[in-house]
Amino acid sequence: MVAGTHGNEINGPWLLDQWRQHPNFVDSKGLDVQLAIGNPAACAQGRRYLDRDLNRSFRSDLLERASTVPAEADREMLQALALLQQFGPEGQTPCDLVVDLHSTTSAMGNCLVVYGRRPVDLALAALVQHRLGLPIYLHEADAAQQGFLAERWPCGLVIEVGPVPQNVRRSDIVLQTRLALEALMAAITSVRDGTARYPDQVVIHRHLGSLDVPRRRSGDPDALVHPNLQGRDWQPLKAGDPLFINAESKAAVFEGEDGLIPVFINEAAYAEKAIALSFTKREAWPLPKDWKEALANLLG
């Protein structure tokens, strides 16, 4: 269980700290859970990261450089390697599954995030979705965003909770995170004891791409997210819907396919990545038997 992968997302680390002090704070269903702060140095400074985004530092090339030429590695590369050496599948305390706790400033509410289409990840997400009704954001096919922590374990899932400002602790955010964790651990337990009840299908929001605000040649923003779009995460767009508005009140409109769904609208952490929003497509997929078998084989 990892929290504080981003050092300015502080509700997850607070939950883990309380969990250590009060073992009954979270009902772990008797599972052997290892607790880890992802980026303690960044957490201590209240910064998202020190040198590079830790949640983009688990690329094979970066891990290899950190292990072979540590003098040329930055702090997040070394921390990514250290987490794997401690908790990775071949680490000192090997774990089969990683849960990465995050928060968002956008009006996403709570959701599950899966990277790629590994059957075990999708099967576990389907079980949690069936219990809580949370949307699943499937992030894939994005060459600019790679090296996520959850991809480096045999099974990985992100719990995203919000909205909450960076570096602000809130009791409702902690409570929602705890409830999501308990539902996840109940799902894992049901797989292990053979009582898991899967839905017939899993509903996912598949990542299609991202869009930045219009910018001047200097790189400075030349427009803002349109007020009609702000806060409309998960709500389908139609051609002609306004996306951005400039100082002269001229709007840039959506020209894509009707029904695409925006997420992470105006997420504070993504401004540096030149992302004002991402587009997804809602799809319902049948739950194949081999997905369930793969998860049972891993967790059994």
Side-chain angles (χ1 to χ4, degrees):
M1 201 74 63
V2 181
T5 300
H6 295 134
N8 55 7
E9 298 176 10
I10 62 176
N11 288 275
W14 190 88
L15 185 152
L16 260 60
D17 178 64
Q18 295 300 307
W19 194 356
R20 287 192 181 101
Q21 296 185 53
H22 310 282
N24 294 326
F25 181 60
V26 178
D27 183 1
S28 64
K29 306 297 181 184
L31 297 172
D32 181 11
V33 181
Q34 303 296 319
L35 307 181
I37 299 301
N39 198 339
C43 287
Q45 297 188 33
R47 296 167 55 185
R48 181 174 173 86
Y49 57 82
L50 302 181
D51 297 317
R52 74 166 67 230
D53 192 332
L54 178 61
N55 204 29
R56 308 295 188 278
S57 298
F58 287 81
R59 291 182 355 220
S60 297
D61 60 324
L62 299 180
L63 292 168
E64 182 178 359
R65 192 190 315 170
S67 63
T68 57
V69 194
E72 296 181 4
D74 58 39
R75 286 171 284 187
E76 272 75 21
M77 290 162 58
L78 294 171
Q79 179 62 12
L81 181 64
L83 286 169
L84 282 170
Q85 289 175 337
Q86 179 64 49
F87 300 109
E90 299 178 358
Q92 299 174 28
T93 311
C95 297
D96 294 321
L97 184 151
V98 65
V99 181
D100 194 11
L101 303 179
H102 286 266
S103 61
T104 175
T105 67
S106 68
M108 290 275 286
N110 305 336
C111 72
L112 307 172
V113 183
V114 175
Y115 301 108
R117 302 194 185 196
R118 293 191 303 190
V120 288
D121 298 347
L122 290 165
L124 181 59
L127 276 175
V128 179
Q129 182 179 73
H130 191 51
R131 288 173 177 268
L132 296 179
L134 296 180
I136 297 171
Y137 174 42
L138 171 62
H139 192 282
E140 63 176 359
D142 188 342
Q145 304 293 328
Q146 301 289 329
F148 298 102
L149 181 151
E151 296 178 293
R152 282 293 160 181
W153 272 259
C155 182
L157 190 66
V158 169
I159 295 175
E160 189 92 46
V161 179
V164 61
Q166 296 169 346
N167 285 314
V168 173
R169 294 186 186 91
R170 277 188 12 196
S171 60
D172 58 334
I173 298 298
V174 172
L175 174 60
Q176 291 166 36
T177 305
R178 179 172 65 81
L179 293 176
L181 278 179
E182 291 179 341
L184 170 68
M185 288 184 283
I188 293 170
T189 301
S190 73
V191 174
R192 298 184 73 176
D193 64 20
T195 63
R197 295 292 179 264
Y198 290 90
D200 293 331
Q201 63 181 20
V202 57
V203 178
I204 64 101
H205 290 76
R206 180 168 57 87
H207 176 87
L208 300 179
S210 301
L211 188 66
D212 192 17
V213 295
R215 293 183 181 271
R216 300 193 294 272
R217 288 185 178 180
S218 65
D220 295 322
D222 200 32
L224 305 172
V225 170
H226 197 282
N228 290 357
L229 177 66
Q230 184 65 52
R232 290 190 60 212
D233 300 74
W234 306 115
Q235 299 183 40
L237 291 168
K238 296 183 297 183
D241 284 349
L243 297 179
F244 307 114
I245 188 168
N246 65 14
E248 298 176 331
S249 298
K250 183 179 179 179
V253 302
F254 176 62
E255 299 177 348
E257 172 189 346
D258 282 0
L260 296 191
I261 297 173
V263 296
F264 287 110
I265 299 171
N266 221 3
E267 163 62 46
Y270 290 171
E272 67 174 33
K273 302 181 188 301
I275 295 173
L277 70 154
S278 293
F279 295 113
T280 70
K281 188 172 184 178
R282 186 180 186 273
E283 299 176 348
W285 295 355
L287 208 66
K289 181 180 179 182
D290 62 325
W291 290 11
K292 306 172 193 178
E293 292 174 345
L295 187 61
N297 290 336
L298 176 68
L299 300 180

